[in-house]
Amino acid sequence: MTWQQVETLFTETRLKKGDYFIKEGQLATQFAFVQSGVIRGFYRDQQGTEYNKHFFVSPSIAGGYTSLITGKPNQIIQQALTDCELLQANYQSFTAMYDTYPDLERVGRRFAERYFVEKERKEIEIVLLDAENRYRLFQEQYPGLEQQISQYHIASYLGITPTQLSRIRKKWAQS
């Protein structure tokens, strides 16, 4: 019964490569299940340098979480790196159903917990692991993604330059 009610909130939408799901400074109102494609979450410093923070691939949920929860402008930009198919819903409409459908609130909590664990894992990796080990973990966590997105985006996610990533790949190819 819960899914029948929740299903009415979602609309199938598409993003073309390069389209934005949410931009910096926007107030987030929507979130989406990524059915196919790749969306990157990134921020840009005052000099215009971009830092990839996260990749949203199926099955995952994209959205300006902090903005959705706080009602403040979004800081993490989300842009399609490939053509994407999404199931999109209004966040307030979704959370308004929590009181009526406690199992839905449980699902929301589990997604939030999963997101927190992933965020903490990434923070620890950046500090404690060298570039080669971060790259190895990237390949395990995102199998096949390397063939879909540019080396620049992978290097940015790993916190290294494309040249450093190229050297690691060359070294591995020679071993």
Side-chain angles (χ1 to χ4, degrees):
M1 170 101 174
T2 302
W3 180 244
Q4 292 171 338
Q5 297 301 315
V6 172
E7 188 176 29
T8 64
L9 300 177
F10 289 90
T11 306
E12 288 187 21
T13 57
R14 296 178 187 275
L15 291 177
K16 294 218 178 280
K17 180 179 179 178
D19 288 350
Y20 292 91
F21 183 69
I22 187 165
K23 294 181 180 179
E24 182 179 13
Q26 283 184 310
L27 286 178
T29 59
Q30 306 288 311
F31 72 101
F33 287 98
V34 178
Q35 294 187 295
S36 68
V38 181
I39 297 173
R40 71 176 174 136
F42 70 102
Y43 60 93
R44 197 177 283 128
D45 68 17
Q46 293 191 358
Q47 290 73 39
T49 305
E50 296 178 352
Y51 300 91
N52 287 333
K53 179 181 177 340
H54 193 80
F55 295 111
F56 300 95
V57 296
S58 181
S60 65
I61 300 175
Y65 302 122
T66 300
S67 180
L68 287 169
I69 293 166
T70 66
K72 294 182 178 177
N74 183 60
Q75 292 182 306
I76 304 294
I77 305 159
Q78 294 178 9
Q79 180 186 37
L81 293 180
T82 65
D83 290 347
C84 298
E85 293 180 4
L86 310 172
L87 283 177
Q88 187 172 326
N90 178 278
Y91 181 73
Q92 285 188 333
S93 298
F94 184 81
T95 58
M97 298 179 89
Y98 283 178
D99 289 335
T100 308
Y101 303 101
D103 51 334
L104 185 61
E105 184 175 25
R106 214 170 9 262
V107 168
R109 187 193 78 233
R110 296 232 173 148
F111 275 109
E113 290 169 350
R114 181 176 158 206
Y115 180 76
F116 175 81
V117 169
E118 288 177 14
K119 183 179 182 329
E120 185 176 84
R121 176 195 47 77
K122 175 88 187 321
E123 290 169 353
I124 291 169
E125 288 171 8
I126 286 290
V127 174
L128 298 181
L129 299 178
D130 65 15
E132 282 191 44
N133 284 314
R134 289 196 310 269
Y135 180 49
R136 185 173 287 113
L137 281 175
F138 166 82
Q139 290 179 318
E140 291 172 12
Q141 292 159 357
Y142 295 105
L145 186 58
E146 206 165 349
Q147 288 71 44
Q148 298 177 56
I149 64 175
S150 74
Q151 186 170 319
Y152 160 82
H153 290 300
I154 296 167
S156 173
Y157 174 79
L158 296 173
I160 61 177
T161 66
T163 303
Q164 288 172 292
L165 178 57
S166 190
R167 286 184 189 135
I168 293 168
R169 293 170 80 177
K170 183 178 179 182
K171 177 182 171 183
W172 288 6
Q174 293 172 349
S175 344

